[in-house]
Amino acid sequence: MNPSNFLAELKRRNVYKVAIAYLVAGWALSQGIAQVFPVFDISNWAIRIIVLLIVVGFPVAVVFAWFFEITPEGVKRTEVADAMPKATGRKRHAWIYVVVAGAAISVALFFLGRYTASNRAAAAAPNELPAKSIAVLPFENLSEDKANAFFAEGIQDEILTRLAKVADLKVISRTSTQHFKSAPENLPEIAKRLGVMHILEGSVQKASDQVRVNVQLINALTDAHLWADTYDRKLTDIFAVETEIAKAIADTLQAKLTGSEQHVIAARPTESTEAHQLYLKGRYFWNKRTGNDLKKSIDYFQQAIAVDPNYALAYAGVADAYVWLPGYTAGTPRDCYPKAKAAATKALQLDDTLAEAHTTLALAIWLYDFDSAQAIREFQRAIELNPNYAIAHQQYGNNTLAALGRFDDAIVEGKRAVELDPLSLVINTDLGSDYYYARRYDEAIAQLRKTLEMDPGFYIAHLVLGQVLDAKGARDAAIVECQKARGLNDDPSVLGVLARAYGLSGNKMEAEKILDQLKKLSQERYVSAYSFALVYLGLGDKEEALRWLEQSYQDRAGSDIGFIRVDPLLDPLRGDPRFEALAEKIVPAAEFKSATASK
């Protein structure tokens, strides 16, 4: 056949028109499915199959156009259609309308796809937040007796604790959620700050032995109310209410519950409502974290134990209070750490699933016995039982891993603690300490300044920042930070760091004044031997500094002397046989992973 005749025949048989219309329609269809299917989370393989069918269909359509033609009377073979009367001009040009309509649809689908894609991208920015994440905001106390605030706070805390034991959920710690009021208006902003997608709000009303608990679960990004309920129960049923709420939330967020998790969140820790309320009062004061309040909490916990001698959580509360007392200079390590250890051990004898008790036992073992292997086992068990327990991650990293020179691991744990409790000043400060012990001073300074932006009045962050600056050699700046810390709190440990910086900067007169001050203070309250060691380092008296460090070891002051291998402020003593012998007693060389090895 003559090529020119063949091309003319293609045109006569409408093959060109069909080919063009098919390409336009096929492209429009492929654009549409490529843009729309992802919106409904349809798999990419389905899109690929449809596009492949469109491609395969092209030669079929062209062959069809050669042999057949669409007429007003239906599909006819070309030879038959040729013998029929000619269609009107409008019908002959119908294919042009198909092309134009197909092009318009394809353009519309293209821009629709761009619009939905941009919307999805915009939604994806906040939706980087885990879908199975929640923060339990403070419950409003609607009781006529405002003294029942401890009860509302306790119910919130216990629901949060039950949720935190579900490994499939990310649950923000109470320390961070307490920064917000009940039923706030700016939920999206709060969710962003806490790193969660969902918020649980609630209220508690208690009258005599009757309790009403209102709760509602909200998607903080869309303000959609996902679930809500009201529970009117007797006080004796409060644990069942907490369990029902925790299970309902887990079901709503489609969190997978293991058999052990179901058992743990359904636990009924005591049959005594009196013991339970005494325990909640103890936690109320424990959460205030001052020396006097910790002592009050111990009194309430022990009253709860007197009512119910098998109340494991009450023993865990006693342990938690004693282990923190030396840090608030409200007790000595030799007196407090053994009591913390004994109470935690008793709690675990009664209930081995308490992550809090495993954490406190780990701390007591490390800070008093310097048994890193056993401490690590207890920390890991705590995290296994409650992966959302920020304090376990914080203390595991900051107290044990950092002291052993496992800096990378310590920082990972510190970051996880911050993720779970982003607004906790102590946890943010301890992450700065992890960087400090790793000699990553610039990162430590950045983290501590970030903490101080959250609260410029947090003296511990000023103190640690002073230590970092001193270790870096910026002693004038270190003195400024220590003076700020001193102005905010009368903690004697601030004076030791300040005196060292004064002495090494050449102002030994100020260092000696602080030494006299510490001697007087030690007659009134607990002053760590470590603080005296720092003063003598500032004065250049290494022998006396070593004597005080040995005293710190005798005092079992693990929160100070436990960092002997990594503490930059003790660098002037490294290499001294007495110092190295002391370090071997606390962190044997065989257990220590040097900073060089950890990188």
Side-chain angles (χ1 to χ4, degrees), residues 312 314-320 322-323 337-352 354 356-365 378:
Y315 286 102
V318 171
D320 287 346
Y322 272 120
V323 85
Y337 292 154
K339 291 179 179 177
K341 185 178 175 181
T345 301
K346 178 63 176 178
L348 293 173
Q349 287 172 353
L350 294 168
D351 184 355
D352 187 57
L354 296 180
E356 300 89 342
H358 281 286
T359 300
T360 303
L361 181 59
L363 271 173
I365 287 170
E378 293 295 335

Side-chain angles (χ1 to χ4, degrees), residues 94-148:
W95 71 276
I96 297 177
Y97 300 130
V98 172
V99 171
V100 172
I105 291 171
S106 66
V107 170
L109 287 171
F110 175 78
F111 284 107
L112 174 63
R114 291 293 297 271
Y115 174 77
T116 56
S118 63
N119 278 356
R120 284 166 63 84
N127 283 350
E128 290 174 0
L129 301 173
K132 299 177 184 180
S133 56
I134 186 171
V136 182
L137 296 190
F139 281 14
E140 186 177 1
N141 175 32
L142 299 181
S143 306
E144 290 185 9
D145 184 356
K146 297 307 174 185
N148 281 329

Side-chain angles (χ1 to χ4, degrees), residues 288-304:
K288 292 179 178 292
R289 297 291 187 91
T290 70
N292 287 334
D293 286 316
L294 287 173
K295 290 177 178 178
K296 286 182 184 177
S297 76
I298 291 172
D299 183 50
Y300 280 112
F301 291 140
Q302 289 178 333
Q303 288 182 51

Side-chain angles (χ1 to χ4, degrees), residues 165 263-264 267 348 351-356 358 381 385-386:
K165 293 176 180 177
H263 175 74
V264 168
L348 293 173
D351 184 355
D352 187 57
T353 68
L354 296 180
E356 300 89 342
H358 281 286
R381 177 62 175 152
L385 288 166
N386 187 345

Side-chain angles (χ1 to χ4, degrees), residues 214-283:
N214 286 293
V215 285
Q216 57 179 341
L217 180 65
I218 302 169
N219 183 317
L221 303 182
T222 63
D223 202 29
H225 287 58
L226 305 180
W227 168 79
D229 210 338
T230 299
Y231 301 84
D232 285 302
R233 303 287 176 85
K234 288 189 174 295
L235 194 59
T236 52
D237 294 330
I238 194 61
F239 295 129
V241 171
E242 293 167 0
T243 298
E244 288 180 38
I245 292 171
K247 285 185 175 179
I249 292 169
D251 289 343
T252 304
L253 300 186
Q254 298 181 343
K256 297 176 183 177
L257 291 178
T258 66
S260 60
E261 287 170 349
Q262 291 180 13
H263 175 74
V264 168
I265 66 174
R268 188 179 180 89
T270 181
E271 297 298 326
S272 169
T273 56
E274 181 185 357
H276 181 230
Q277 291 194 74
L278 288 166
Y279 169 78
L280 293 183
K281 287 180 180 179
R283 280 296 175 193

Side-chain angles (χ1 to χ4, degrees), residues 391-527:
I391 292 176
H393 292 281
Q394 169 205 8
Q395 298 300 333
Y396 181 33
N398 186 251
N399 261 300
T400 305
L401 295 177
L404 295 174
R406 293 173 53 182
F407 302 124
D408 291 343
D409 294 336
I411 290 166
V412 167
E413 293 295 332
K415 287 181 176 179
R416 177 60 175 158
V418 169
E419 182 184 352
L420 293 169
D421 204 348
L423 302 184
S424 167
L425 298 173
V426 172
I427 286 177
N428 273 278
T429 299
D430 278 356
L431 177 56
S433 295
D434 295 334
Y435 285 121
Y436 163 62
Y437 291 127
R439 313 293 175 115
R440 292 162 62 172
Y441 297 138
D442 290 340
E443 291 168 275
I445 290 169
Q447 174 63 30
L448 292 165
R449 293 203 187 283
K450 176 183 174 183
T451 306
L452 289 169
E453 285 176 5
M454 295 164 61
D455 184 356
F458 190 57
Y459 88 96
I460 297 176
H462 284 290
L463 172 58
V464 178
L465 181 55
Q467 291 175 306
V468 178
L469 292 168
D470 189 358
K472 198 177 179 182
R475 295 209 166 83
D476 289 343
I479 289 169
V480 169
E481 291 301 327
C482 289
Q483 286 174 333
K484 289 178 182 177
R486 186 183 184 185
L488 292 165
N489 195 286
D490 64 351
D491 186 343
S493 62
V494 176
L495 295 175
V497 179
L498 180 59
R500 181 188 185 279
Y502 270 132
L504 294 179
S505 68
N507 192 345
K508 295 194 174 182
M509 184 178 294
E510 280 297 324
E512 288 172 348
K513 285 182 182 178
I514 291 175
L515 178 59
D516 290 338
Q517 188 177 352
L518 283 174
K519 287 177 179 178
K520 291 178 182 176
L521 275 174
S522 66
Q523 297 173 5
E524 305 168 5
R525 58 191 293 192
Y526 171 68
V527 176

